[in-house]
Amino acid sequence: MVGDRAGKYVPQPAGYRAFIPARLPPDPAIQVGSELLALLSRADQALGRLDGLTQILPNPDLFVAMYVRREAVLSSQIEGTQSTLDDILAFELDTPFRDLPGDVEEVVNYVRAMNYGLARLATLPLSLRLLREIHAELLTGVRGADRYPGEFRRVQNWIGPMGATLREASFVPPPVDVMHDTLDDFERFLHDERQLPVLIHCAIAHAQFETIHPFIDGNGRVGRLLITFLLCNREVLHRPLLYLSHFLRRRRVEYYDRLMAVREAGDWEGWVRFFLTGTAETAQEAIGTARSVLALRDEHRRVVQEEGPGLNGLRLIDLLFERPLVNVKLVRDQLDVSFGTANSLVDKMVERGLIREVTGGRRFRVFRYDPYLSLFTDEQVAEAANPESTLTEGDRW
């Protein structure tokens, strides 16, 4: 393996070594042997099945919205946030029934950045400009707002344990002057759709972005968003349903080790194998969850049709798939019914065990659609893909 295939460390005047990435694509080229080819085929097939399945969902946008929220939680947790999916839903509901973590708005910003980026792709190519705009959406008004949202860094940054100095860093990205050259090459590579299979292209792009580390803060989140944007931009997925944060969080140590092996040993093949494995597993998880959502919707619509309360009950079921945490006011406004009708609808859903009141109070009552939200827990998602899978957590780097 060529040691400087991905780049090389260069001593800097201040006494530390910074990594200078090589131009893309890798040279020598990625070796697509039998093992990697089999992984590529498996990942491609899983993505094809996932994309096909979403075409038959009654309202795929609702499913996508929940997946975006879940990805926002998981991707942000990798960076140290504590907010949960329920916290995000409570924030959206704007109810005083629970004390929310201070970092909940960071996760909400992630949802906004994802939706903003996907909408922007309709009018702007996947580019450095778009990445800066997404970064601005991600950090504006939250922790990191003082770290130049929407702007590439103007100073040296580094990665390492808490409190580590530049000389003690585990990894030092390229200096600012070199960074701009590598970003120009990176953007050119983003637009090169001819040389490599899409998933290998995505794998290389993500690794290179993390190596360049062009922002003071938010690089990991933007880099993970980049994967989904690439797949949608290349029309591998027609809806944004592949998010690797669940896989990367479970195998966090290996994730960082694989990236470092690219930098230090030029092991692009090892990284690509890891990425394709994660893609296939994550797509299969999403397929299992989508099937569970379809089955749950059919079952609960049948319950409502058999026992009432008629059309409004069916409309409430559909609303719960969009907003699985509701109060009577939200139901009234969304269904355009009277407060009394909304209250009666909610009470009947509680009687049938479809939703559960979670505040324990008589005022500001909030109701949770437990059967649906349970499909998006880590354990249920993993079981949907592989009933015998075991979840493990790696240490944070």
Side-chain angles (χ1 to χ4, degrees):
M1 188 71 66
V2 180
D4 61 356
R5 185 184 181 198
K8 59 184 177 181
Y9 287 96
V10 176
Q12 302 299 306
Y16 62 89
R17 295 189 314 150
F19 189 80
I20 312 300
R23 290 175 61 85
L24 296 177
D27 183 19
I30 299 286
Q31 299 300 304
V32 185
S34 58
E35 180 186 4
L36 197 151
L37 189 61
L39 285 171
L40 179 61
S41 176
R42 178 181 168 225
D44 279 335
Q45 289 174 8
L47 283 178
R49 289 195 297 271
L50 174 61
D51 193 55
L53 182 59
T54 59
Q55 305 303 312
I56 66 171
L57 287 171
N59 192 337
D61 290 335
L62 303 187
F63 182 61
V64 168
M66 279 302 298
Y67 246 79
V68 170
R69 292 182 183 116
R70 179 174 177 270
E71 164 63 11
V73 169
L74 293 174
S75 187
S76 300
Q77 284 178 352
I78 292 175
E79 308 302 325
T81 64
Q82 302 299 314
S83 294
T84 65
L85 184 56
D86 276 79
D87 293 330
I88 305 306
L89 295 169
F91 183 91
E92 293 174 354
L93 190 58
D94 191 24
T95 175
F97 92 97
R98 64 188 293 164
D99 293 326
L100 298 176
D103 56 31
V104 66
E105 290 188 57
E106 293 181 44
V107 188
V108 172
N109 271 16
Y110 190 102
V111 175
R112 185 168 63 244
M114 167 66 80
N115 291 330
Y116 175 88
L118 291 168
R120 213 51 182 109
L121 278 175
T123 58
L124 183 69
L126 188 53
S127 57
L128 298 181
R129 176 184 172 183
L130 180 56
L131 293 179
R132 288 197 303 270
E133 291 183 9
I134 292 165
H135 185 259
E137 293 290 324
L138 192 67
L139 291 190
T140 297
V142 298
R143 181 182 61 171
D146 58 341
R147 299 181 179 182
Y148 309 103
E151 298 182 32
F152 292 133
R153 57 183 167 90
R154 301 171 187 172
V155 296
Q156 183 67 68
N157 58 355
W158 66 93
I159 300 171
M162 186 71 69
T165 65
L166 187 54
R167 294 190 182 188
E168 298 166 340
S170 305
F171 177 72
V172 181
V176 173
D177 56 340
V178 179
M179 177 193 75
H180 288 289
D181 291 336
T182 60
L183 281 172
D184 289 343
D185 179 68
F186 174 74
E187 185 174 50
R188 177 195 56 76
F189 179 74
L190 287 181
H191 298 157
D192 185 353
E193 302 180 359
R194 299 168 299 171
Q195 296 193 50
L196 294 164
V198 175
L199 286 178
I200 294 179
H201 185 264
C202 289
I204 294 172
H206 174 77
Q208 189 80 335
F209 179 86
E210 297 302 329
T211 292
I212 298 171
H213 237 62
F215 299 111
I216 292 295
D217 193 14
N219 292 285
R221 284 166 287 176
V222 174
R224 290 186 285 277
L225 286 170
L226 174 63
I227 297 169
T228 303
F229 292 147
L230 274 167
L231 292 174
C232 290
N233 189 57
R234 298 284 296 274
E235 298 185 342
V236 174
L237 291 176
H238 290 89
R239 285 183 169 84
L241 278 174
L242 187 83
Y243 303 107
L244 292 182
S245 291
H246 188 222
F247 175 81
L248 297 178
R249 196 182 66 160
R250 293 200 317 258
R251 299 175 63 170
R252 193 177 312 179
V253 172
E254 185 178 1
Y255 170 51
Y256 294 129
D257 286 347
R258 290 292 183 186
L259 289 177
M260 288 302 295
V262 171
R263 299 157 185 162
E264 296 180 348
D267 186 12
W268 281 108
E269 285 77 12
W271 160 250
V272 170
R273 285 194 296 270
F274 177 78
F275 182 89
L276 293 176
T277 298
T279 298
E281 289 187 13
T282 302
Q284 192 58 46
E285 289 173 354
I287 291 168
T289 302
R291 287 172 175 163
S292 297
V293 168
L294 277 172
L296 183 70
R297 182 177 184 272
D298 288 345
E299 177 188 351
H300 286 181
R301 286 178 65 86
R302 177 184 54 77
V303 169
V304 169
Q305 285 175 316
E306 289 177 353
E307 302 182 21
L311 179 59
N312 282 331
L314 293 177
R315 294 174 64 208
L316 178 52
I317 287 292
D318 288 341
L319 174 62
L320 289 170
F321 277 89
E322 179 183 1
R323 300 288 296 273
L325 206 64
V326 299
N327 54 25
V328 176
K329 180 179 181 297
L330 177 72
V331 173
R332 178 198 68 187
D333 294 344
Q334 292 296 311
L335 300 189
D336 192 22
V337 296
S338 69
F339 190 89
T341 298
N343 193 60
S344 176
L345 284 168
V346 167
D347 286 343
K348 288 178 180 178
M349 291 292 180
V350 172
E351 290 173 8
R352 288 165 176 76
L354 300 183
I355 60 177
R356 172 175 63 93
E357 206 285 317
V358 294
T359 67
R362 300 183 64 180
R363 300 182 62 210
F364 306 115
R365 295 186 304 163
V366 174
F367 303 86
R368 189 179 192 272
Y369 190 23
D370 288 340
Y372 181 52
L373 281 171
S374 70
L375 300 179
F376 293 89
T377 64
D378 286 1
E379 293 78 9
Q380 289 297 323
V381 168
E383 184 177 344
N386 178 7
E388 298 180 358
S389 65
T390 300
L391 303 184
T392 58
E393 286 280 353
D395 296 326
R396 188 179 181 196
W397 187 31

